Amino acid sequence: MTPPGNAPQRKYDLLLKNGRVIDPSKPMDQVADVAILDGKIAAIEQDIDVKRSRRTINVAGLVVCPGLIDLHVHCNLYKNPESLDPTAAGVYTGVTRMVDPGDNGAYTFQAFRKAVIESTPTRIHSWLNAAGLGGFMYGLYNTDVCLHPTLIDVDAAVEIARLYPDFIAGIKTYCAPEGWGSPDGTEVYTRALAIADRARLPLYIHSGSPSPEGYQAYGGRPMLYGEEVTREQALTKMLEMLRPGDVVAHPFSTFAGTVWNSVEKRVSHGVREAYARGVRFDSGRGAHYSFAVVRNLMNAGVLPYTLSSDRHAEDNHDEFVRRASVGLCQHMSEFLAFGMSLSDVIMRATWNPAKVLRVQDRAGSLHLDKPAEIAILALRDGNWTLQDAPFFGKAPGTLKAKQLLTPVMTVVDHRVYPINPAFLPDLVEIQVQEDVWSWMKERPPHHTSYEPVK
Ligand SMILES: [Zn+2]
């Protein structure tokens, strides 16, 4: 009989050697080895012998952190023409988990689950649109499919939320004059809130509207309770009704009457109170995002709880859509350039969004025995000029960056997904990625059986 102490130890499936391991949930920032066995994190130690693993990847000089969680990516390829492939935009850009930002509602979620969620290694959640048809559809814009109270089917949405608690992150609706301030008063919002209350889920609110057409559709002005209001008044009223844990997207919008009042150069009324009460602000970078607004809000002490890309298809003919094709790593780099620490930036793309999604037991950190969802990133020194995404007719704002985070590979369960530069549409990222790529190829294959895929 073999004594237990002499039993042959099972080898790890994968060893990530000598990386700079950053896990803001602990917090931890030190050079260490990470071992994976049976798709779970089996050890994080100073020096793990390579003989104890079947496969080792040398990640010296790279950042090893929890897989990035992007709370806002348009990924419903079969419904929204502005969508990205969730595999290419997910595990191949450092993002192991992403959330559909309401392109799906109760009537379309089942198709989304079959066609998208079940066919990608990227973990997908959904901000279920309060409106049954969800947001964007081919040939129809949001005003047609989700900004009228009669389009909201409370019972159907509650049913889907109950059937799929692992996938439904919360309920999406809009603080836009076309909906929230329509002649129907608060009806769109109160119906969304009814779904969220019955399903015990947070709300995810789009803020910001360019939309003169939206006003015109309802007589030319935003309305609330049948009275004409400014966009800021509509925002303030909505913020008062939000609960701790609810999420407001796009605080850095360049549009007037949003979280930053760009006309009167101040934080809009109700924002500080909501912020103090535990309402969370998700950056939702996207197409109407302004560096100037980021600076103003950060100076005023209003920080995003989470960083998300609001990424759209890069090959779209629409300039507005193409501007919204920046990945999460580059968005994180912007906040490094604004002076936020690396750990705080990573926390806003890992641990904080895990808390928003209530998935701390399986994502957002590098704790022992948790499923492996890991991002390996390069933090590159250099000089870059980044651009924001102003609305039409204005020159983009610029931001000097001395460091750029770029994805190198991800690990989900026991599988490794190396980055292919072809997946990265943004010019700045392509340039840097090719740089990282050639650098990776030149690295000595120190104890590694891993070959990058071209
Ligand atoms: Zn969006």
Side-chain angles (χ1 to χ4, degrees), residues 72 74 101 250 310 312:
H72 196 132
H74 291 276
H250 315 305
D310 188 7
H312 296 57

mmCIF file of all heavy atoms in Angstrom, residues 72 74 101 250 310 312, ligand 1:
data_model
loop_
_atom_site.group_PDB
_atom_site.id
_atom_site.type_symbol
_atom_site.label_atom_id
_atom_site.label_comp_id
_atom_site.label_asym_id
_atom_site.label_seq_id
_atom_site.Cartn_x
_atom_site.Cartn_y
_atom_site.Cartn_z
ATOM 1 N N HIS A 72 -20.428 46.267 -21.736
ATOM 2 C CA HIS A 72 -21.205 46.884 -22.825
ATOM 3 C C HIS A 72 -20.541 46.614 -24.178
ATOM 4 O O HIS A 72 -19.668 47.361 -24.612
ATOM 5 C CB HIS A 72 -21.295 48.398 -22.554
ATOM 6 C CG HIS A 72 -22.353 49.108 -23.332
ATOM 7 N ND1 HIS A 72 -23.237 49.990 -22.724
ATOM 8 C CD2 HIS A 72 -22.682 49.103 -24.641
ATOM 9 C CE1 HIS A 72 -24.049 50.485 -23.639
ATOM 10 N NE2 HIS A 72 -23.728 49.976 -24.816
ATOM 11 N N HIS A 74 -21.721 45.412 -28.209
ATOM 12 C CA HIS A 74 -22.790 45.025 -29.140
ATOM 13 C C HIS A 74 -22.359 43.749 -29.870
ATOM 14 O O HIS A 74 -21.468 43.773 -30.697
ATOM 15 C CB HIS A 74 -23.087 46.169 -30.110
ATOM 16 C CG HIS A 74 -23.722 47.327 -29.400
ATOM 17 N ND1 HIS A 74 -25.073 47.387 -29.152
ATOM 18 C CD2 HIS A 74 -23.186 48.421 -28.830
ATOM 19 C CE1 HIS A 74 -25.351 48.483 -28.464
ATOM 20 N NE2 HIS A 74 -24.221 49.138 -28.257
ATOM 21 N N PRO A 101 -25.661 44.905 -24.456
ATOM 22 C CA PRO A 101 -26.236 46.087 -23.811
ATOM 23 C C PRO A 101 -27.688 46.355 -24.207
ATOM 24 O O PRO A 101 -28.034 47.475 -24.573
ATOM 25 C CB PRO A 101 -25.316 47.204 -24.300
ATOM 26 C CG PRO A 101 -24.893 46.760 -25.654
ATOM 27 C CD PRO A 101 -24.867 45.257 -25.645
ATOM 28 N N HIS A 250 -22.735 55.716 -19.899
ATOM 29 C CA HIS A 250 -22.324 56.875 -20.707
ATOM 30 C C HIS A 250 -22.227 58.189 -19.924
ATOM 31 O O HIS A 250 -22.649 59.232 -20.417
ATOM 32 C CB HIS A 250 -23.271 57.075 -21.906
ATOM 33 C CG HIS A 250 -23.612 55.824 -22.642
ATOM 34 N ND1 HIS A 250 -22.667 54.978 -23.169
ATOM 35 C CD2 HIS A 250 -24.819 55.264 -22.935
ATOM 36 C CE1 HIS A 250 -23.269 53.957 -23.760
ATOM 37 N NE2 HIS A 250 -24.575 54.100 -23.620
ATOM 38 N N ASP A 310 -18.555 49.844 -24.901
ATOM 39 C CA ASP A 310 -19.664 50.143 -25.827
ATOM 40 C C ASP A 310 -19.159 49.991 -27.259
ATOM 41 O O ASP A 310 -19.337 50.855 -28.109
ATOM 42 C CB ASP A 310 -20.250 51.532 -25.604
ATOM 43 C CG ASP A 310 -21.524 51.752 -26.421
ATOM 44 O OD1 ASP A 310 -22.007 50.795 -27.052
ATOM 45 O OD2 ASP A 310 -22.023 52.887 -26.437
ATOM 46 N N HIS A 312 -18.728 48.784 -31.044
ATOM 47 C CA HIS A 312 -19.573 48.459 -32.193
ATOM 48 C C HIS A 312 -18.702 47.903 -33.324
ATOM 49 O O HIS A 312 -17.482 47.997 -33.284
ATOM 50 C CB HIS A 312 -20.272 49.711 -32.736
ATOM 51 C CG HIS A 312 -21.251 50.360 -31.799
ATOM 52 N ND1 HIS A 312 -20.921 50.805 -30.545
ATOM 53 C CD2 HIS A 312 -22.562 50.666 -31.968
ATOM 54 C CE1 HIS A 312 -21.986 51.342 -29.976
ATOM 55 N NE2 HIS A 312 -22.997 51.272 -30.808
HETATM 56 ZN ZN ZN B 1 -24.122 50.775 -26.804
#
